[in-house]
Amino acid sequence: MLTLPLQFGEVIYPQAGAAIQVGAIVLLVAICSTLPSGFRVSRLENSHRDFSMCMSDVAEAYQFCHAADREGVFNLGTEYDAVKERIMYLRSHPDLRELEPEILEAAAEMSYASRELAEIYSDENVSRARGFLKHREEEIALFEDKIDRALSVSRELRRQKEAVEVEEAAMENRLHALEEEFGGLLGELGFSRTRTPGNVISMPHATAAE
């Protein structure tokens, strides 16, 4: 038992040591009771951090492996041989040498699971599809150019047709004015005025006057 007499002024506390000892014990018990939960939280945080780091490493390794699969690097067919081939490829990659074997194995298995997707979207297929689309774009541009030229020619022909119609109307007006002015004189001279479908006046030679 801790003996620690205290005195405040004239008042003496002979049991102060025991009270301090009890308080210290209660404080230590409270601290010890919180330590396990703190350790559990710390372990959870560390495991979560390690899990995040491992998943990022797996994702990085899988990207390299999937890109190689799209390029047609892997040729083995059976699952065991295909996964082993992918693991060997990842181990020899200069950017992945520091990763754990378990991470490389997980990335290789993921790559094998997505092998059909890599085959469908292989670099060769994607390049061929892009070339086909580019060719279609060129055809569309050429067809659009032909349409523009056809529209330009059509507008030009319409403009020329309207100009010809204006000139024909002007000639018709002039001819009508000529008929109005000299029609009587031509009749007296023995010329006949017959209009043909081509808007031409047929004027035969007059007979000699008796």
Side-chain angles (χ1 to χ4, degrees):
M1 179 66 68
L2 178 65
T3 302
L4 182 64
L6 297 178
Q7 180 177 356
F8 291 94
E10 297 180 355
V11 180
I12 299 175
Y13 298 93
Q15 302 298 326
I20 293 174
Q21 184 177 5
V22 172
I25 293 173
V26 171
L27 179 62
L28 290 175
V29 171
I31 293 175
C32 292
S33 63
T34 59
L35 287 178
S37 61
F39 289 148
R40 287 195 298 271
V41 172
S42 179
R43 285 196 300 269
L44 288 174
E45 290 178 352
N46 292 331
S47 62
H48 178 71
R49 188 180 301 108
D50 294 339
F51 176 77
S52 300
M53 292 177 62
C54 291
M55 288 304 298
S56 63
D57 293 337
V58 171
E60 181 183 5
Y62 168 75
Q63 290 178 358
F64 284 109
C65 195
H66 185 67
D69 202 1
R70 290 180 56 183
E71 294 175 0
V73 175
F74 309 119
N75 299 317
L76 299 181
T78 61
E79 180 177 358
Y80 176 79
D81 293 335
V83 173
K84 184 177 179 181
E85 183 182 18
R86 286 166 169 79
I87 293 175
M88 296 301 296
Y89 173 81
L90 293 176
R91 286 179 180 176
S92 62
H93 199 283
D95 297 334
L96 305 175
R97 292 178 179 176
E98 297 180 358
L99 297 183
E100 298 294 332
E102 293 80 5
I103 295 176
L104 300 181
E105 183 178 357
E109 292 176 353
M110 291 172 59
S111 175
Y112 177 77
S114 62
R115 65 191 184 281
E116 295 182 358
L117 185 64
E119 182 179 357
I120 294 173
Y121 294 97
S122 64
D123 292 348
E124 182 180 358
N125 292 340
V126 172
S127 178
R128 184 166 54 251
R130 288 178 177 174
F132 174 76
L133 293 176
K134 184 178 180 180
H135 180 67
R136 291 292 302 275
E137 290 177 351
E138 293 175 352
E139 289 182 347
I140 292 173
L142 181 61
F143 185 69
E144 185 178 4
D145 182 65
K146 290 181 179 179
I147 292 177
D148 292 339
R149 286 187 293 175
L151 290 175
S152 178
V153 171
S154 299
R155 294 190 183 100
E156 180 64 21
L157 292 175
R158 177 181 296 179
R159 186 190 64 79
Q160 292 179 359
K161 177 178 176 295
E162 292 174 352
V164 169
E165 291 177 350
V166 170
E167 292 179 358
E168 288 180 349
M171 292 298 101
E172 183 71 21
N173 293 332
R174 293 180 63 183
L175 182 59
H176 181 70
L178 180 63
E179 290 178 351
E180 292 292 334
E181 183 175 357
F182 300 103
L185 177 60
L186 293 175
E188 293 177 358
L189 295 175
F191 291 94
S192 61
R193 297 182 300 165
T194 58
R195 300 294 299 275
T196 61
N199 294 331
V200 178
I201 300 177
S202 177
M203 296 187 298
H205 294 287
T207 57
E210 294 181 353

